């Protein structure tokens, strides 16, 4: 399972996890295909370009991280 756990802003954490869940559940690799509207596509692009989170934080969340999720149960 892929998910963000270390983003500083809770809103970005929720947005990022929503994007990842839909991205991998649907095997979609295009933001335009993933987004249901132009507004949603714009929100996804804004998430990816957010200055408050680093590219490393985003990449880390996109990696497979089952061990830390299992420890929460």
């Amino acid at each position: 399972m892929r998910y963000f756990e270390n983003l500083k802003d809770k809103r970005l954490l929720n947005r990022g996890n929503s994007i990842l869940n839909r991205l991998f559940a649907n095997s979609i690799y295009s933001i335009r295909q993933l987004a249901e509207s132009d507004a949603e596509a714009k929100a996804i692009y804004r998430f990816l370009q957010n200055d408050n989170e680093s590219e490393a934080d985003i990449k880390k969340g996109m990696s497979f991280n089952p061990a830390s999720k299992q420890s929460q149960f």
Side-chain angles (χ1 to χ4, degrees), residues 46-61:
R46 283 184 176 167
F47 170 79
L48 294 172
Q49 295 175 340
N50 193 300
D51 291 335
N52 294 328
E53 301 300 337
S54 70
E55 182 178 348
D57 291 336
I58 292 172
K59 284 181 180 179
K60 184 177 178 183

Side-chain angles (χ1 to χ4, degrees), residues 31-45:
I31 291 173
R32 287 286 175 194
Q33 289 178 332
L34 179 66
E36 295 178 4
S37 67
D38 287 342
E40 187 176 14
K42 189 173 186 178
I44 293 170
Y45 285 121

Side-chain angles (χ1 to χ4, degrees), residues 13-35:
L13 182 71
N14 292 336
R15 162 80 62 189
N17 285 327
S18 173
I19 293 167
L20 280 181
N21 287 336
R22 290 181 30 232
L23 187 69
F24 289 103
N26 299 318
S27 297
I28 295 174
Y29 303 100
S30 165
I31 291 173
R32 287 286 175 194
Q33 289 178 332
L34 179 66

